């Protein structure tokens, strides 16, 4: 036999999801675009030394290279580059 009233925690999480959709729904595309721009900037900062741009923080960003390799192909396609700009790293 099912319980006719949901648990308070379930109701609160449902209410929170509804409020999130109400307030952030109209701006979802803007938030997604801002997130994409931020991710692209992060990719440029991490890959700067490999792209030939002097990077004073390359000592710290070199550790992040394995984390961004999987997103590299999508990034250079988004930037309008048909082929990989790196001579040493060919993804396509």
């Amino acid at each position: 036999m099912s319980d006719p009233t949901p648990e308070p925690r379930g109701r609160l999480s449902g209410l929170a999801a509804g409020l999130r959709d109400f307030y952030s729904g109209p701006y979802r595309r803007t938030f997604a675009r801002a997130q994409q721009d931020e991710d692209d900037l992060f990719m440029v900062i991490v890959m700067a030394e490999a792209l030939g741009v002097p990077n004073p923080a390359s000592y710290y960003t070199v550790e992040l290279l394995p984390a961004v390799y999987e997103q590299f192909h999508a990034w250079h396609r988004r930037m309008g580059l048909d082929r990989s700009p790196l001579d040493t790293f060919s993804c396509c």
Side-chain angles (χ1 to χ4, degrees), residues 1 4 22 34:
M1 185 167 167
F22 178 76

Side-chain angles (χ1 to χ4, degrees), residues 27-70:
Y27 306 106
R28 190 170 292 140
R29 183 180 298 174
T30 303
F31 290 149
R33 180 67 186 171
Q35 180 68 44
Q36 190 68 55
D37 290 345
E38 191 173 299
D39 290 345
D40 289 345
L41 178 62
F42 180 74
M43 180 71 82
V44 167
I45 291 172
V46 171
M47 301 293 290
E49 197 71 30
L51 294 170
V53 179
N55 183 6
S58 65
Y59 178 75
Y60 302 105
T61 58
V62 75
E63 294 179 5
L64 300 172
L65 283 175
V68 298
Y69 275 148
E70 292 182 13

Side-chain angles (χ1 to χ4, degrees), residues 13-24:
S13 65
L15 178 64
L19 287 174
R20 189 177 320 113
D21 285 345
F22 178 76
Y23 285 111
S24 67

